[in-house]
Amino acid sequence: MNDQESYSQEGDTPSFADLPLATEVQEAIELIGYETPSPIQAQAIPYLLEGRDLMGVADTGTGKTAAFGLPILTNLDPKGGGPQALCLTPTRELAIQVAEALESFGNRITNFQALPIYGGSDYGRQIRGLKNGAPVVVGTPGRVMDHINKGTLKLEKIRTLVLDEADEMLCMGFIEDVE
């Protein structure tokens, strides 16, 4: 699926209120001012809410983070007790940006945290966030592997994996870490 396929083939583009998102997520995106999903969002959100795998392709600025982030937030188990979603990004800047966007989309969810983990950042803060049960972890492949190898990032409760800008990660030589 890509953003060049027209959602209107199946009818008019829905509003966010028409999508089966969690009440807290609906409230947050309403506060942000979102009304109508972009094509990638309108196509991806219902598909991802069903728990299906998806490869989405869309230009920068089309709302890919919301396209994968809103379903993640809707499907969180409030009693999850640890990471339920892991998003790998090629750079620390993107990890921070994605984590901040998810925090914004999840600002109505009690005790929600999207924890960015990346090189050059304090391990102690990251370890505390992981021990406190951050439900979403956003990180660079190298630092994610460090935490997995140290046993500080447990993967048994991960239900969603996002490879954000996977092409860029592969170009940067992260193929082994991604595998």
Side-chain angles (χ1 to χ4, degrees):
M1 175 184 321
N2 65 48
D3 69 334
Q4 299 183 2
E5 294 176 27
S6 174
Y7 188 83
S8 62
Q9 292 170 353
E10 298 177 20
D12 294 328
T13 301
S15 70
F16 276 105
D18 296 327
L19 296 172
L21 297 168
T23 303
E24 299 87 354
V25 175
Q26 289 281 9
E27 291 172 0
I29 60 178
E30 186 177 314
L31 286 172
I32 293 169
Y34 286 4
E35 293 177 11
T36 305
S38 69
I40 187 72
Q41 294 165 346
Q43 293 174 26
I45 290 171
Y47 198 81
L48 292 172
L49 286 170
E50 294 174 2
R52 298 170 69 184
D53 293 341
L54 173 76
M55 180 189 328
V57 178
D59 292 332
T60 299
T62 57
K64 291 182 298 290
T65 303
F68 67 75
L70 300 178
I72 287 172
L73 296 171
T74 293
N75 290 328
L76 285 178
D77 177 357
K79 297 177 184 167
Q84 298 172 46
L86 174 61
C87 179
L88 293 178
T89 66
T91 65
R92 71 182 73 177
E93 294 80 15
L94 186 57
I96 293 166
Q97 179 183 335
V98 169
E100 287 174 351
L102 293 174
E103 291 265 342
S104 179
F105 303 146
N107 69 16
R108 308 297 269 179
I109 300 172
T110 305
N111 299 321
F112 174 72
Q113 180 185 17
L115 179 67
I117 59 174
Y118 51 88
S121 179
D122 178 34
Y123 258 111
R125 186 186 143 290
Q126 294 174 13
I127 291 169
R128 280 189 302 279
L130 291 167
K131 283 185 179 179
N132 289 336
V136 178
V137 173
V138 183
T140 55
R143 185 54 65 99
V144 166
M145 288 301 301
D146 287 348
H147 280 287
I148 291 169
N149 292 333
K150 291 180 184 209
T152 52
L153 173 57
K154 311 251 189 278
L155 303 177
E156 61 268 1
K157 295 183 182 181
I158 299 287
R159 298 186 319 211
T160 303
L161 172 64
V162 175
L163 302 177
D164 197 3
E165 296 191 13
D167 58 334
E168 191 65 30
M169 281 189 279
L170 298 178
C171 287
M172 293 173 72
F174 287 125
I175 184 76
E176 289 180 19
D177 289 341
V178 170
E179 287 175 348

